[in-house]
Amino acid sequence: MRLIMLGPPGAGKGTQAQRLVERYSIPQLSTGEMLRAAVANGTGIGRGAKAIMDRGEFVPDDVVSHMVSDRIDQEDCRRGFILDGFPRTVAQAEALTAMLDQKGVKLDAVIELKVNPATLIERMEKRVADTLAAGGTVRSDDNPDTFATRLDEYRQKTAPLLNYYRRRGELVEVDGMQGMDIVARDIASVLAKVDSN
Ligand code: ADP
C-alpha cells in the first residue's frame, strides 16, 4: 500500500497516518519529522532548514525530494509507505512521480483531508495547550504568526497539487472535520476499494 496524505497543517494527517501504520504494517514517512530530526541532530540539512522552518516556509524542493527518495529505498518501505507532508509543491509531486516510475512502484491513493481554516487554528492552539499541560516541548513553528504563514504556504503552493492528483484520477477527498474515528473509518472504506499489489 503506497499512499499520500494531503491536507493543510493541523488536518490530522499524522494521526490518521499513524493508524494506517498499524493496520498495514508500513512506515509513515513524515518529512516534517525527518526535518525536525535533522535539525535536532545538527546535520547539514538540519542546519539549512532550521530558520526556514521557524518562519513557517518550505524547505527547498530538491532537499526534501532527495531525502524522501533515499528513505523510500530503505528495506522497510518495500511493502509500502504513507507519505505525510510530502509532496507539498507541484515540483515535489513531479519529482515523486519520476522517482516512483524509476523505482518501478505505483501509488495506490492520494487522500485529501478537508478541514476549514478556523478549525485548523483551533486545533493548533489545542495541540499547544495539551503539550504544555503534559509538560512537553511545543514545536517552535506552532505559534499564531508562523501558523498563519504555514496556512498561506499551503494555500499558495500545496493546494494546486489537488488538481495535479485529481487529473491523474488518484485523488480521494475525505471530510476531516469529523471525529478521528469517523475519519479513520472513511479512509478505511476508501482503501478497501484499492487493489494494492
Ligand atoms: P504540519 O504539521 O504543519 O503539516 P510538518 O511537520 O509536516 O507540519 O512540517 C513542518 C515544516 O517542515 C513545514 O512548515 C516546512 O517548513 C518543513 N517541511 C516539511 N515537509 C516539507 C516539504 N515536503 N517541503 C518543504 N518543506 C517541508
Side-chain angles (χ1 to χ4, degrees):
M1 181 66 76
R2 296 181 185 85
L3 300 176
I4 298 177
M5 302 294 297
L6 272 184
K13 302 183 295 287
T15 305
Q16 296 300 330
Q18 208 45 55
R19 296 189 176 211
L20 296 169
V21 164
E22 282 159 33
R23 191 183 170 98
Y24 293 101
S25 302
I26 50 177
Q28 169 193 9
L29 311 188
S30 158
T31 44
E33 274 169 26
M34 291 182 213
L35 289 166
R36 281 189 287 279
V39 170
N41 294 329
T43 67
I45 289 181
R47 286 196 300 276
K50 182 170 186 346
I52 300 174
M53 292 172 75
D54 282 344
R55 288 196 299 271
E57 295 168 6
F58 287 172
V59 172
D61 290 328
D62 57 334
V63 172
V64 191
S65 299
H66 278 112
M67 204 173 67
V68 170
S69 179
D70 288 348
R71 182 67 187 86
I72 288 178
D73 287 339
Q74 289 174 22
E75 175 66 26
D76 62 334
C77 292
R78 275 200 17 210
R79 293 181 46 249
F81 48 79
I82 305 154
L83 286 169
D84 159 15
F86 179 92
R88 256 181 163 90
T89 64
V90 172
Q92 290 179 18
E94 286 167 348
L96 178 66
T97 300
M99 77 177 80
L100 294 182
D101 281 352
Q102 194 235 332
K103 296 179 201 297
V105 296
K106 199 180 120 325
L107 270 184
D108 294 301
V110 180
I111 296 173
E112 178 198 0
L113 286 180
K114 294 179 84 79
V115 177
N116 71 35
T119 302
L120 297 171
I121 293 166
E122 279 167 23
R123 287 184 182 178
M124 182 277 292
E125 286 169 347
K126 183 172 182 313
R127 175 159 81 185
V128 170
D130 289 351
T131 304
L132 289 174
T137 310
V138 171
R139 268 170 56 174
S140 55
D141 59 352
D142 266 352
N143 59 73
D145 280 354
T146 308
F147 197 76
T149 305
R150 283 157 61 197
L151 285 180
D152 228 50
E153 287 274 83
Y154 180 82
R155 227 179 344 255
Q156 286 181 34
K157 297 180 184 165
T158 310
L161 277 190
L162 301 173
N163 268 330
Y164 177 90
Y165 286 113
R166 197 174 282 125
R167 273 199 304 271
R168 294 170 60 90
E170 291 168 335
L171 188 73
V172 186
E173 296 178 9
V174 170
D175 178 2
M177 301 285 289
Q178 314 173 96
M180 281 190 302
D181 292 341
I182 315 266
V183 174
R185 188 201 61 196
D186 286 358
I187 292 175
S189 75
V190 165
L191 296 182
K193 293 175 202 136
V194 166
D195 172 25
S196 65
N197 291 307

